[in-house]
Amino acid sequence: MQERYNLLSTVVKLANSATLSYPARLKSLARFFAESFQLVAVTIYILDRENRFLVQKIPSAGPDNFLDCLIPLGDGVAGRCAKQRALLQAGKDQLHDHEFRDGRESQLQAIPIADQSRVCGVITLGLMEGTVCSAAQLDLLQDMLPAVAGLIRDMEVAERSSRRVDNLTILSELGKVLNKAEPPRSHLSRILQTCHKHSAASCTVVRLLPDRGLPAGLFKKCRTKTRLQLSTLLELEADASARVQTTGISILVTDLIADEDIPPSYLCVPLRFEAKMLGSVTFFGKLGAKGRCQNFDEEDRELFDSMAMLVSNALAGSATYQQMVQFAAENDKKVKELSLLYRISNTMLSTINLNKLTHLTLTALTAGANPFFERAMLFLINEKTAVMQGMLGVTRETAAGKALLDGEWGEISLIPWDMSEEEMARQRDAEFSRMVRETRLPLDKTCNVSSKAVLEKRLVYVADVEREKRVDREFVRRFAVQSFAAAPLMAKQQVVGVLVVDNSLSGKAITPEDLRFLQLFTNQAGMAIENSMLYSRIEDAHLDLREAQEQIIQGERLAAIGEMAASIAHELKNPLVSIGGFAKRLEKKIPADLPEHKYAGTIVREVTRLEKMLSEVLSFSKKATICYMDCDISGIIEDSLAVVSSSLEESGIRVSKSIAPEKLQIHGDCQQLKQVFINLFFNAQEAMKSGGVLQVTVAPATLGQRKALAVKVSDSGGGIPLEILNNIFNPFFTTKASGTGLGLAIVHRIITNHGGKIEINNRPGIGAEFTVTLPLHP
Amino acid sequence: MAKILVVDDESSIRFLYSQELAEEGHEVLTAATALEASEILQAQPVELLVLDIKLKNESGLDLLQKLVKERHNLPVILCTAFSCYRDDFSAWLADGYVVKSSDLQELKDEIKRVLAKRSR
């Protein structure tokens, strides 16, 4: 009993030794068992956590550390024992290759090491030929084994906690890497490296999805051995990644069996930020001791999930940062563009001189530390000769010193941007500008693509002159152009010129933003040019007006002189008539042989001469009294009726009108024509003193071959007495005791003057009908 | 021959016309204003009126219209310094139109024509 107690207490002491490592303690225990029970060899095997293999062994004879082994459960002696969880005795020939052999044993006794919950290992006892373990011995040994189980358990716990610490270290390492602000691409390679190193994977693949603000694609890191199977691994990766992206849950695959020598296990974890899937990381084949691949386990999954979370956050942050940087850059550029446009528009709208305007335009495009373009040329359009004529060229050099945006914004917005005559002359005389002036490009799309800008009124960009067939080769050669843009300058909806810009000095690419700015800029410049053109047109118009005004003044003076001459002439006429008349009488009375006869004759001749002169003056000064214009006949009839309406009413006369719906216009004197109808209406009224119907109809008609209109005016006044019918158009004839007396004679005269005719249809006892036919164009 | 009334505000013209027309065998009466003319016309029968358009303060055309209204049988010859009145249609009421001249032949011919037409 005492002995049993001593043994047990030694076992407990050994198992709990504070100074020995776990392997050393197990080794001491094995050796203690061997010595205590006179055994050839005692070996302790440790079962993996998945209860699949015995993975470590420590024999009583040997070094103080574990020896790796891989004994499947059910194989060999220890394996079978672990699987059956029961005592087992077997011959040495049944030993697995990985099991320890002392050489002296013939039989082996295996006992499972277990605590309450599980088997955690196996202990084998080597028995020499002819020896056996007694039941008492086995019993005692089994009593001691819980201490061993405790030790293994402790070891596992320690191992696990050290792994936890390792994992935390890995995460903290990764955190450090992730915290470095770097461009996404190099950041990514560092992340990959860190993950690969700490995961102990033989191959790590990071897949980033497109359109997440990150460099999309596959990023991989492999150990040399695995590279041969890379294509197979990538196939597995693609499949796993796709699944992970849909489910959002990591995948752990173990014990993969394939024809190729691929790692038996892989772990794919999603990379996601909030609800957004960014990609995945796949780890292949965990490298164990001695370079052997082993399965990843749940703990690895936990670690990798955490790593993926960190990486996702970092990548999302990096993408956001990148976006911010980009926005800031874009903002800067926009502010610059806007400032530039603001200043340019201020400058241009206040610059009226067209020449200066063109200089400022080209300079604005090329000036400053960071100009939009390196060269700018202006071509003006000559539509008659169908050419684009070079006018001015400005380069960075010739624009130097005229930067639009140097200095503080507040400052420059206040200072007007201007150019002196000397500066313009310098630009004009520069070699480049001279070359531009000597250039003429055909206005033809088929051989000069820039003319598209003119003909189609839009910006044209040629990325590579070598690939564009329709480029003027001479232009390309002369200016060593590689890529260029041509923008139309529009003024009043019309293309007046073309701005051609390029970066041929440095070969810098023209970006879409540059083109957009060019478009904005040329619109602005076009407006300014339009303004300038309008201004010069206003100036011209102003000059014309002044000339016209002077002519009017001159004309008025002449007219005043003419009026005066006319009134003088009139005053002179009467005395001259008397003088001449009496001189004539004298000439008649005085005998021809007397000299006085001759004197009188002289007076007569001279007066006749003067009279001739005067009549010329008088006929010149008086305007014609007939005034032809387009008259609307229905308007004339209405106006005429309005004049006579009260008289018609008084006499109880009803008016019946029938006027053709179409608008009938006649070329004539409205006032005279009105007089015609007033007279006819009064005439009718005169004939219908005791009431009746005045009928007026207007209809299209013809007069000979000409288009005409006919107005019929009929009354119900009983008709015209036959005895006076022949005389009614006679100007000296009237039957009336009252009235103006102008009557039908005037009607007749006016109508004749208008090339028309008047007819009477007299119906005695009923009434008279006058038909006035007037040609539309006399 | 006829009794002719010459209406003109210029006395020298009246004098010249009366001399010349008397020589032609006409009996010539003269008036300087429209009023005078009206009085004469009321007092005695006149066969022809020679009327100046531009009287001192009145228009011969107004007188013409009045005369035509009252005595529509009286022939009138307008005699004026201005040829332009030919276009004024109130002048068309006159039987003849003569531009004043120191040569009275045109006036004499017109008188003959108008009188001949009347007597027909």
Side-chain angles (χ1 to χ4, degrees), chain A residues 353-587:
Chain A
N353 182 313
L354 192 57
N355 187 32
K356 189 188 271 188
L357 209 53
T358 56
H359 276 272
L360 288 174
T361 305
L362 297 198
T363 307
L365 285 170
T366 48
N370 192 14
F372 282 96
F373 302 101
E374 286 163 8
R375 300 193 298 189
M377 314 174 214
L378 173 70
F379 291 87
L380 289 189
I381 308 304
N382 188 334
E383 270 175 4
K384 274 187 207 149
T385 55
V387 291
M388 293 163 56
Q389 170 68 55
M391 297 304 287
L392 180 66
V394 176
T395 62
R396 283 181 73 166
E397 285 74 43
T398 56
K402 291 307 296 175
L404 266 171
L405 289 178
D406 286 353
E408 291 299 309
W409 162 240
E411 206 178 293
I412 60 136
S413 61
L414 297 174
I415 306 166
W417 193 57
D418 199 5
M419 231 179 184
S420 66
E421 288 295 332
E422 292 78 51
E423 283 171 313
M424 289 197 278
R426 211 163 40 239
Q427 282 190 344
R428 226 175 11 250
D429 298 340
E431 174 65 11
F432 178 65
S433 190
R434 200 182 50 69
M435 274 166 67
V436 172
R437 275 202 306 282
E438 285 167 4
T439 305
R440 278 182 183 192
L441 298 173
L443 200 53
D444 180 350
K445 277 192 274 189
T446 55
C447 60
N448 170 26
V449 73
S450 335
S451 51
K452 253 180 150 175
V454 180
L455 302 170
E456 293 175 12
K457 298 183 177 177
R458 64 182 183 86
L459 194 137
V460 172
Y461 171 55
V462 177
D464 185 356
V465 290
E466 297 305 323
R467 289 207 204 152
E468 175 60 64
K469 282 184 196 131
R470 295 157 300 161
V471 175
D472 191 281
R473 288 293 144 200
E474 170 61 17
F475 167 73
V476 168
R477 193 193 54 75
R478 175 183 276 232
F479 293 104
V481 179
Q482 292 144 25
S483 82
F484 69 97
L489 268 177
M490 307 269 296
K492 292 216 104 200
Q493 312 285 321
Q494 221 183 344
V495 181
V496 292
V498 178
L499 274 179
V500 176
V501 294
D502 77 346
N503 290 331
S504 286
L505 305 178
S506 73
K508 195 178 79 176
I510 296 175
T511 65
E513 283 76 34
D514 292 336
L515 291 178
R516 194 171 53 82
F517 176 75
L518 181 65
Q519 182 83 68
L520 272 176
F521 183 83
T522 43
N523 288 349
Q524 192 71 41
M527 258 151 65
I529 287 174
E530 188 175 323
N531 261 2
S532 161
M533 281 163 63
L534 281 178
Y535 182 81
S536 68
R537 218 166 286 166
I538 287 172
E539 273 195 331
D540 288 351
H542 185 70
L543 278 180
D544 287 352
L545 267 181
R546 208 146 68 188
E547 244 166 58
Q549 189 193 19
E550 269 162 16
Q551 274 172 7
I552 287 169
I553 291 171
Q554 186 66 15
E556 273 176 358
R557 265 188 218 138
L558 284 177
I561 291 169
E563 292 260 312
M564 204 163 74
S567 74
I568 291 171
H570 183 247
E571 289 305 314
L572 287 176
K573 181 93 185 199
N574 279 331
L576 269 183
V577 167
S578 312
I579 293 167
F582 284 112
K584 247 196 177 109
R585 283 185 68 75
L586 281 176
E587 197 188 20

Side-chain angles (χ1 to χ4, degrees), chain A residues 101-121:
Chain A
R101 284 167 201 270
D102 180 78
R104 291 174 288 169
E105 72 273 77
S106 66
Q107 289 274 318
L108 286 132
Q109 176 72 52
I111 310 161
I113 305 170
D115 59 10
Q116 294 88 343
S117 55
R118 65 180 276 259
V119 175
C120 57

Side-chain angles (χ1 to χ4, degrees), chain A residues 201-472:
Chain A
S202 55
C203 180
T204 309
V205 183
V206 175
R207 175 188 288 268
L208 292 182
L209 300 176
D211 306 324
R212 306 296 200 270
L214 292 164
L218 286 178
F219 304 88
K220 46 199 180 290
K221 198 147 180 70
C222 283
R223 283 171 221 271
T224 331
K225 206 181 137 196
T226 353
R227 275 195 202 131
L228 294 170
Q229 289 88 43
L230 192 59
S231 61
T232 316
L233 297 188
L234 288 181
E235 272 171 39
L236 291 171
E237 186 276 339
D239 186 48
S241 176
R243 271 193 289 155
V244 158
Q245 280 163 41
T246 359
T247 60
I249 299 165
S250 53
I251 298 174
L252 171 60
V253 175
T254 55
D255 298 319
L256 198 66
I257 298 165
D259 297 341
E260 285 176 85
D261 184 19
I262 55 169
S265 172
Y266 63 86
L267 221 169
C268 181
V269 290
L271 290 175
R272 62 170 170 187
F273 183 69
E274 287 166 356
K276 198 158 116 187
M277 195 58 73
L278 304 176
S280 64
V281 189
T282 311
F283 303 91
F284 284 98
K286 187 179 182 180
L287 282 177
K290 294 186 181 161
R292 232 184 18 240
C293 279
Q294 57 190 73
N295 281 333
F296 288 110
D297 54 23
E298 284 302 322
E299 208 156 317
D300 291 319
R301 189 208 283 258
E302 240 172 73
L303 171 67
F304 293 169
D305 274 335
S306 306
M307 279 165 70
M309 206 137 71
L310 276 179
V311 169
S312 302
N313 286 351
L315 286 178
S318 158
T320 313
Y321 175 75
Q322 204 53 29
Q323 260 171 351
M324 298 262 290
V325 168
Q326 205 173 328
F327 283 151
E330 271 169 25
N331 239 16
D332 263 6
K333 193 153 189 183
K334 288 243 169 73
V335 166
K336 187 181 164 197
E337 266 178 30
L338 280 177
S339 313
L340 203 54
L341 273 179
Y342 177 80
R343 195 159 188 220
I344 287 167
S345 77
N346 267 355
T347 304
M348 287 186 171
L349 292 177
S350 59
T351 307
I352 291 304
N353 182 313
L354 192 57
N355 187 32
K356 189 188 271 188
L357 209 53
T358 56
H359 276 272
L360 288 174
T361 305
L362 297 198
T363 307
L365 285 170
T366 48
N370 192 14
F372 282 96
F373 302 101
E374 286 163 8
R375 300 193 298 189
M377 314 174 214
L378 173 70
F379 291 87
L380 289 189
I381 308 304
N382 188 334
E383 270 175 4
K384 274 187 207 149
T385 55
V387 291
M388 293 163 56
Q389 170 68 55
M391 297 304 287
L392 180 66
V394 176
T395 62
R396 283 181 73 166
E397 285 74 43
T398 56
K402 291 307 296 175
L404 266 171
L405 289 178
D406 286 353
E408 291 299 309
W409 162 240
E411 206 178 293
I412 60 136
S413 61
L414 297 174
I415 306 166
W417 193 57
D418 199 5
M419 231 179 184
S420 66
E421 288 295 332
E422 292 78 51
E423 283 171 313
M424 289 197 278
R426 211 163 40 239
Q427 282 190 344
R428 226 175 11 250
D429 298 340
E431 174 65 11
F432 178 65
S433 190
R434 200 182 50 69
M435 274 166 67
V436 172
R437 275 202 306 282
E438 285 167 4
T439 305
R440 278 182 183 192
L441 298 173
L443 200 53
D444 180 350
K445 277 192 274 189
T446 55
C447 60
N448 170 26
V449 73
S450 335
S451 51
K452 253 180 150 175
V454 180
L455 302 170
E456 293 175 12
K457 298 183 177 177
R458 64 182 183 86
L459 194 137
V460 172
Y461 171 55
V462 177
D464 185 356
V465 290
E466 297 305 323
R467 289 207 204 152
E468 175 60 64
K469 282 184 196 131
R470 295 157 300 161
V471 175
D472 191 281

